[in-house]
Amino acid sequence: NAGVMQNPRHLVRRRGQEARLRCSPMKGHSHVYWYRQLPEEGLKFMVYLQKENIIDESGMPKERFSAEFPKEGPSILRIQQVVRGDSAAYFCASSQGAGADTQYFGPGTRLTVL
Amino acid sequence: SQQGEEDPQALSIQEGENATMNCSYKTSINNLQWYRQNSGRGLVHLILIRSNEREKHSGRLRVTLDTSKKSSSLLITASRAADTASYFCATLNQAGTALIFGKGTTLSVSS
């Protein structure tokens, strides 16, 4: 049973470009979470999705960031018009059930904005 | 405000010694989880302790939970160089939809 998969592992973008980060949850998991980690910091929650629904996006910046988890295919975190401050590691996690279930994390995508 | 806060921020020990990390939180919880993160890697789930449990063991790991003090501790016994990593505690937010992490304890084990 493969774990949570994220790609790409490293992504370099210039200011103003778009970044698309992908996450495939563990088999049988229908709950996906995105977190961001700045250098020397803990992880900060961004958004929680179930298939085709955004459940909680309270941690998402109001502009330029969006997320989806379509019926088929991976979850996508999209950052438009990236700025240097978006440089961070973005982690996806999945769980079988909601709430108190254990979340399993992917290896992360390290975004560098030049 | 931050839900989980670990201390110390950094800990350096020799192989074979025990390492203890503490975590404090602010609101009531259903469970508390500990994760490990090796440098430049993702998080690995170590152990989950429920609010009605006081102590839990997993291999060389021992976790305690004191809900009256809103605190938890992670003990790693007979540490190894491979235990070098950052350790985070995490609790669920009020809505029960996401984990809230502290800034972590960076453990360095030298041989």
Side-chain angles (χ1 to χ4, degrees), chain A residues 33 35 37 45 56 99 103 110, chain B residues 31 35 37 40 96-99:
Chain A
Y33 313 79
Y35 295 83
Q37 185 178 33
F45 166 72
D56 181 352
Q103 295 182 21
R110 275 147 190 85
Chain B
N31 62 56
Y35 286 83
Q37 183 180 35
T97 54
L99 291 173

Side-chain angles (χ1 to χ4, degrees), chain B residues 8-19:
Chain B
Q9 285 190 321
L11 181 61
S12 293
I13 59 175
Q14 298 286 320
E15 259 190 333
E17 293 181 335
N18 295 342

Side-chain angles (χ1 to χ4, degrees), chain A residues 6 21 35-36 46 65 77 79 86 88-91 108-109 111:
Chain A
Q6 290 187 249
L21 289 63
Y35 295 83
R36 177 165 64 177
M46 299 180 76
F65 285 71
L77 178 67
I79 312 172
D86 297 332
Y90 291 83
F91 292 95
T109 293
L111 173 65

Side-chain angles (χ1 to χ4, degrees), chain A residues 31-96:
Chain A
H31 302 259
V32 166
Y33 313 79
W34 285 93
Y35 295 83
R36 177 165 64 177
Q37 185 178 33
L38 296 171
E40 310 300 326
E41 296 273 331
L43 276 71
K44 297 286 194 294
F45 166 72
M46 299 180 76
V47 62
Y48 162 41
L49 310 101
Q50 291 181 36
K51 283 286 185 182
E52 300 185 277
N53 287 304
I54 296 175
I55 307 301
D56 181 352
E57 55 181 349
S58 58
M60 286 279 268
K62 294 285 185 281
E63 296 175 349
R64 302 187 298 107
F65 285 71
S66 63
E68 62 177 11
F69 189 16
K71 189 176 179 181
E72 301 290 338
S75 175
I76 307 284
L77 178 67
R78 183 181 176 207
I79 312 172
Q80 295 178 289
Q81 299 175 339
V82 296
V83 300
R84 288 221 173 102
D86 297 332
S87 295
Y90 291 83
F91 292 95
C92 167
S94 72
S95 65
Q96 191 169 38

Side-chain angles (χ1 to χ4, degrees), chain B residues 2-106:
Chain B
Q2 203 73 15
Q3 175 72 321
E5 292 288 350
E6 295 90 343
D7 87 272
Q9 285 190 321
L11 181 61
S12 293
I13 59 175
Q14 298 286 320
E15 259 190 333
E17 293 181 335
N18 295 342
T20 299
M21 288 157 269
N22 303 297
C23 167
S24 61
Y25 58 92
K26 292 186 169 63
T27 62
S28 60
I29 59 170
N30 289 320
N31 62 56
L32 184 142
Q33 304 183 48
W34 284 90
Y35 286 83
R36 183 186 74 221
Q37 183 180 35
N38 290 83
S39 181
R41 301 287 192 90
L43 275 74
V44 174
H45 183 260
L46 294 177
I47 198 163
L48 179 152
I49 185 164
R50 301 191 188 283
S51 58
N52 61 354
E53 297 175 309
R54 291 295 166 260
E55 188 171 309
K56 200 162 181 179
H57 296 254
S58 176
R60 294 184 295 113
L61 305 180
R62 175 181 165 240
V63 169
T64 61
L65 180 64
D66 187 336
T67 52
S68 66
K69 294 181 180 178
K70 291 186 166 59
S71 67
S72 173
S73 68
L74 171 67
L75 168 68
I76 303 174
T77 59
S79 62
R80 305 166 182 167
D83 294 329
T84 295
S86 292
Y87 292 81
F88 297 91
C89 69
T91 56
L92 277 178
N93 63 0
Q94 295 275 35
T97 54
L99 291 173
I100 301 177
F101 290 85
K103 291 187 177 181
T105 292
T106 300

